[in-house]
Amino acid sequence: MRIILFSSKPYDQQSFSAVEVPDGWRLSFQEAHLREDSAGLAAGYQVVCAFINDDLSAPVLRQLAAGGTRLIALRSAGYNHIDLHAAQALGLTVVRVPAYSPHAVAEHALALIMTLNRRTHRAFNRTREGDFTLRGLIGFDLHGKTVGIIGAGQIGLTFARIMAGLGCQILFYDPKPISDLASLGAQQVPLDELLERSHIISLHCPLNSATHHLINAARLRQMRRGVMLINTGRGALIDTPALIGALKSGQLGYLGLDVYEEEAELFFEDHSEHPLQDDVLARLLNFPNVLITAHQGFLTHEALAAIASTTRDNIVAWQADAPINQLLPAA
Ligand code: NAI
């Protein structure tokens, strides 16, 4: 069995090398992203293992199928980057890692909130330079604040438990009914109500046609003045340029992003030697109340180990003709 891992980093090599795999498997770690011009590297590999910023559109899938690939094993929970209809038509099975660590992402959302609120990043730099003043470091108590969570799945619910533990009032918006509201003292409310009442809003829903640009200029205007917005979901949940006006006017008080609409050509790579070509991102990075991390919500030892072992199990099950964690196109 020949398996090629696109967009692989040293930490992927480490976590995949640490899991036991059946005899005869050959893993090839490829740093290149999967694109139309790199898909040829997969010729002869039955399994292509791809990450979130790999291109799995129809033209790329056609090349993979022509080269002998039969299984696409996503190393992610999100699957907005694959054309499932095209995969099915080409006879490609698609599997994913539905849950590797909801804690990793939920705790990263908390890290963004804590840093933005208590400005520990500024204090870190200041005290190292011998400046022990407190100017500009005033935060707010999280206790008693209302946190609006959009998407009450595994990560949203884990995040809710963390925030409830800090004494926050939890509001959820999710089109599906949520079962464990009572244990959290939480309420499920319409989206408009969540936007109007929340001091902090955190996005944990998948990216699809219904959620694309869910947060836009009109919805930003509906929020409380000075609201904190956190996105660890997917970049295109937000109409990013709309954030700039909201930040300039003070309507948006704090912004924490782990994902960015145009991240595919930027994140996970070092561009520090070159001028940043993305003017929207450059503008966002200039606001003192904006914190951007480069899609690192998943990056814990536990999550990486779970991604590797679930991917191994997914491939074993597919080999045995009993696929698990399979993705099929919506009917
Ligand atoms: P999940 O499938 O357990 O939960 C998603 C929830 O969103 C479900 O309850 C669903 O009903 C809800 N939802 C669907 N449509 C919605 C809508 N229009 N409005 C509000 N809610 C809606 O997914 P999970 O595991 O909680 O992950 C959520 C997202 O987090 C993933 O789709 C992925 O994009 C992102 N993610 C980000 C990571 C990072 O490193 N920053 C790592 C892992 C996931």
Side-chain angles (χ1 to χ4, degrees), residues 51-52 76-80 96 98-102 105 108 149-157 173-176 178 191 203-208 210-211 214 231-234 237 258-259 295-299:
F51 201 46
I52 42 183
S76 57
Y79 53 90
N80 50 288
R96 67 167 177 149
Y100 39 85
S101 171
V105 185
H108 190 67
I149 301 176
I150 300 183
Q154 309 198 57
I155 298 172
L157 286 170
Y173 169 68
D174 194 307
K176 286 193 197 150
I178 306 166
L191 181 57
L203 308 182
H204 298 288
C205 56
L207 174 62
N208 54 38
T211 59
L214 182 80
N231 188 8
T232 58
R234 283 290 179 268
L237 295 173
D258 186 47
V259 284
H295 209 137
Q296 69 178 78
F298 71 98
L299 200 64

Side-chain angles (χ1 to χ4, degrees), residues 1 4 9 28 53 59 88 94 96 101 129 140 155 170 191 195 207 242 255 267 294 314-315 329:
M1 171 74 58
I4 184 166
K9 297 286 179 193
S28 165
N53 290 327
Q88 190 177 53
V94 182
R96 67 167 177 149
S101 171
E129 289 183 4
F140 59 85
I155 298 172
I170 308 297
L191 181 57
L195 298 177
L207 174 62
L255 175 67
F267 282 14
N314 285 345
I315 300 171

Side-chain angles (χ1 to χ4, degrees), residues 169-193:
Q169 159 74 45
I170 308 297
L171 302 180
F172 282 114
Y173 169 68
D174 194 307
K176 286 193 197 150
I178 306 166
S179 50
D180 37 1
L181 286 173
S183 65
L184 290 165
Q187 276 177 276
Q188 186 165 9
V189 296
L191 181 57
D192 289 344
E193 185 176 340

